[in-house]
């Protein structure tokens, strides 16, 4: 295991013998393992990695566990800046008198909450917490679909925190949903799509995301939805849905999008539809067509919205559900048969 530089910078301060400590977001809970302390992270998959590594307890949260700690270790390497700043502020509130925060966060995120900050070997050491504790900045906006205008609560540190993302808006205008359908909001953010699906379309909504903050806000915005922490489909087992909608994060290796598309085909009931917002359309269109056998493409406002239907299995079709023979493979089979003929 190669430990990132930021986590190594924090490990230099371990151990803190006989003192209550908390590890926030170190790589695979390395600090928690070194100290035998608890671990907290906003990202569900990171929490699962820490559990697998033997860390306990693990808190999937954007709000620090209650306690009184002599030392808090905050690894800001992969955190959204707003989350890192929030964790730093919360650390000031959970430290014991004389306690210390060791962190790779930015100095400007510590300055409002600590009276003494010094740099030591690529990390910041903050002492003498100031009185008071920051509350998350609460943001509000509304979403209008047809005649319905719905209020949304948001906070920094989530996707599109200050208003409806244009790509999501265009996707909502294209989705065709019916009351009672099983609807999966994949990567729900603050729950905008879930809110529309539940309140406007009357669907039975399940919302998943890796972010604890996103899930907390979705529960506030759409209390009637089933809200599940999950990295894509990992926590959904063999669940089936009639509609799946997603505006996935964009990554150059397409790994997340690949998992979303292939997983959607497995988790859609026959006749169910996937709706997907994309920007770099070519790869997505090819992938969706390869998995689903077809794809509708709509371009609006600089975004591309793809939709694809899981086809019902043909009677007598060989192989697992959804499996298809490519044209290239079919030609090879035909050529092989001809060679075997007299």
């Amino acid at each position: 295991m190669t430990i990132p530089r930021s986590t190594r910078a924090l490990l230099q301060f371990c151990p803190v013998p006989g003192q209550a400590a908390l590890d926030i977001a170190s790589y695979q809970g390395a600090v928690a393992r070194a100290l035998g302390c608890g671990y907290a992270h906003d990202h569900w998959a990171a929490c699962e990695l820490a559990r697998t590594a033997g860390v306990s307890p693990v808190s999937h949260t954007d709000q620090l566990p209650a306690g009184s700690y002599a030392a808090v270790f905050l690894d800001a390497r992969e955190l959204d800046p707003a989350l890192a700043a929030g964790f730093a502020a919360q650390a000031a509130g959970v430290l014991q008198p004389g306690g210390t925060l060791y962190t790779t966060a930015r100095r400007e995120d510590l300055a409002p909450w600590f009276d003494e900050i010094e740099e030591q070997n690529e990390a910041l050491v903050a002492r003498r917490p100031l009185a008071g504790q920051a509350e998350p900045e609460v943001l509000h906006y509304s979403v209008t679909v047809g005649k319905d205008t719905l209020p949304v609560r948001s906070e920094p540190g989530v996707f599109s925190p200050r208003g409806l993302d244009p790509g999501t808006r265009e996707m909502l205008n294209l989705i065709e949903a019916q009351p009672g359908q099983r609807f999966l909001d994949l990567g729900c953010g603050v729950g905008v799509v879930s809110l529309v699906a539940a309140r406007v379309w009357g669907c039975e909504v399940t919302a998943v995301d890796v972010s604890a903050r996103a899930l907390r806000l979705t529960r506030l915005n759409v209390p009637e939805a089933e809200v599940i922490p999950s990295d894509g489909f990992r926590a959904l087992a063999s669940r089936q849905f009639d509609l799946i909608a997603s505006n996935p994060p964009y990554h150059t290796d397409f790994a997340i999008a690949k998992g979303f598309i292939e997983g959607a085909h497995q988790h859609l009931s026959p006749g169910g539809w996937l709706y997907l917002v994309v920007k770099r359309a070519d790869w997505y269109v090819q992938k969706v067509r390869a998995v689903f056998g077809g794809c509708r493409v709509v371009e609006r406002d600089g975004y591309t919205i793809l939709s694809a239907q899981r086809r019902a299995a043909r009677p007598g079709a060989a192989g697992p559900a959804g499996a298809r023979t490519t044209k290239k493979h079919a030609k090879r089979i035909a050529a092989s048969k001809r060679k075997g003929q007299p």
Side-chain angles (χ1 to χ4, degrees):
M1 177 181 67
T2 302
I3 298 177
R5 188 172 179 175
S6 60
T7 297
R8 293 201 308 269
L10 297 182
L11 284 170
Q12 69 182 309
F13 301 105
C14 300
V16 184
Q19 294 181 324
L22 177 66
D23 174 7
I24 308 170
S26 77
Y27 180 70
Q28 296 189 4
V31 171
R33 284 184 281 120
L35 296 177
C37 68
Y39 180 78
H41 204 304
D42 176 74
H43 199 288
W44 180 78
C47 289
E48 292 300 294
L49 285 173
R51 288 191 181 97
T52 301
V55 176
S56 179
V58 174
S59 301
H60 177 225
T61 183
D62 69 318
Q63 299 175 323
L64 295 186
S68 180
Y69 302 99
V72 173
F73 296 80
L74 169 58
D75 189 346
R77 179 179 62 95
E78 290 188 338
L79 292 176
D80 178 281
L83 284 169
F87 279 137
Q90 292 176 51
V94 298
L95 282 169
Q96 300 172 2
T100 304
L101 170 66
Y102 304 95
T103 182
T104 55
R106 302 175 301 182
R107 181 180 289 267
E108 55 264 38
D109 294 332
L110 309 184
W113 311 109
F114 292 87
D115 191 45
E116 180 183 324
I117 304 170
E118 62 176 308
E119 185 173 351
Q120 292 187 25
N121 300 329
E122 300 185 319
L124 294 177
V125 178
R127 300 184 179 90
R128 297 175 60 192
L130 301 173
Q133 182 176 349
E135 294 293 331
E137 179 186 4
V138 178
L139 307 169
H140 295 280
Y141 61 90
S142 61
V143 174
T144 300
V145 177
K147 297 180 180 179
D148 296 279
T149 298
L150 306 170
V152 177
R153 170 177 169 146
S154 181
E155 294 175 15
V158 296
F159 173 68
S160 192
R162 299 183 183 277
L164 179 61
D165 172 71
T168 302
R169 181 190 65 229
E170 298 303 333
M171 180 176 68
L172 288 172
N173 290 333
L174 289 173
I175 291 175
E176 298 178 7
Q178 301 296 326
Q181 287 186 311
R182 297 163 299 174
F183 190 105
L184 175 63
D185 184 0
L186 183 62
C188 59
V190 300
V192 173
V193 174
S194 294
L195 182 63
V196 173
R199 302 276 177 86
V200 179
W201 301 329
C203 296
E204 297 178 4
V205 176
T206 298
V208 303
D209 206 295
V210 294
S211 166
R213 176 163 293 184
L215 296 171
R216 176 172 58 81
L217 289 167
T218 297
R219 291 186 183 98
L220 291 172
N221 287 321
V222 202
E224 62 267 47
E226 177 188 29
V227 180
I228 301 174
S230 181
D231 187 0
F233 294 93
R234 282 176 59 186
L236 296 178
S238 57
R239 297 274 298 273
Q240 294 284 291
F241 301 92
D242 302 305
L243 293 165
I244 298 175
S246 183
N247 187 348
Y250 302 105
H251 291 267
T252 55
D253 62 3
F254 297 104
I256 292 178
K258 179 176 181 291
F260 277 21
I261 293 167
E262 293 175 352
H265 189 268
Q266 296 170 9
H267 288 268
L268 278 169
S269 56
W273 283 87
L274 166 68
Y275 291 86
L276 198 65
V277 181
V278 303
K279 279 190 173 181
R280 301 165 62 185
D282 291 347
W283 182 91
Y284 288 91
V285 171
Q286 293 176 14
K287 182 64 179 178
V288 171
R289 285 176 175 164
V291 173
F292 282 82
C295 179
R296 295 178 181 175
V297 182
V298 176
E299 295 183 357
R300 291 183 180 177
D301 197 22
Y303 291 85
T304 302
I305 298 86
L306 309 182
S307 56
Q309 186 179 36
R310 176 173 178 177
R311 300 170 181 176
R314 297 189 302 276
R324 273 178 291 279
T325 300
T326 65
K327 291 181 179 179
K328 186 176 182 180
H329 186 55
K331 288 180 180 179
R332 289 178 178 174
I333 294 173
S336 177
K337 289 181 178 179
R338 286 196 297 270
K339 287 180 181 179
Q341 293 176 352

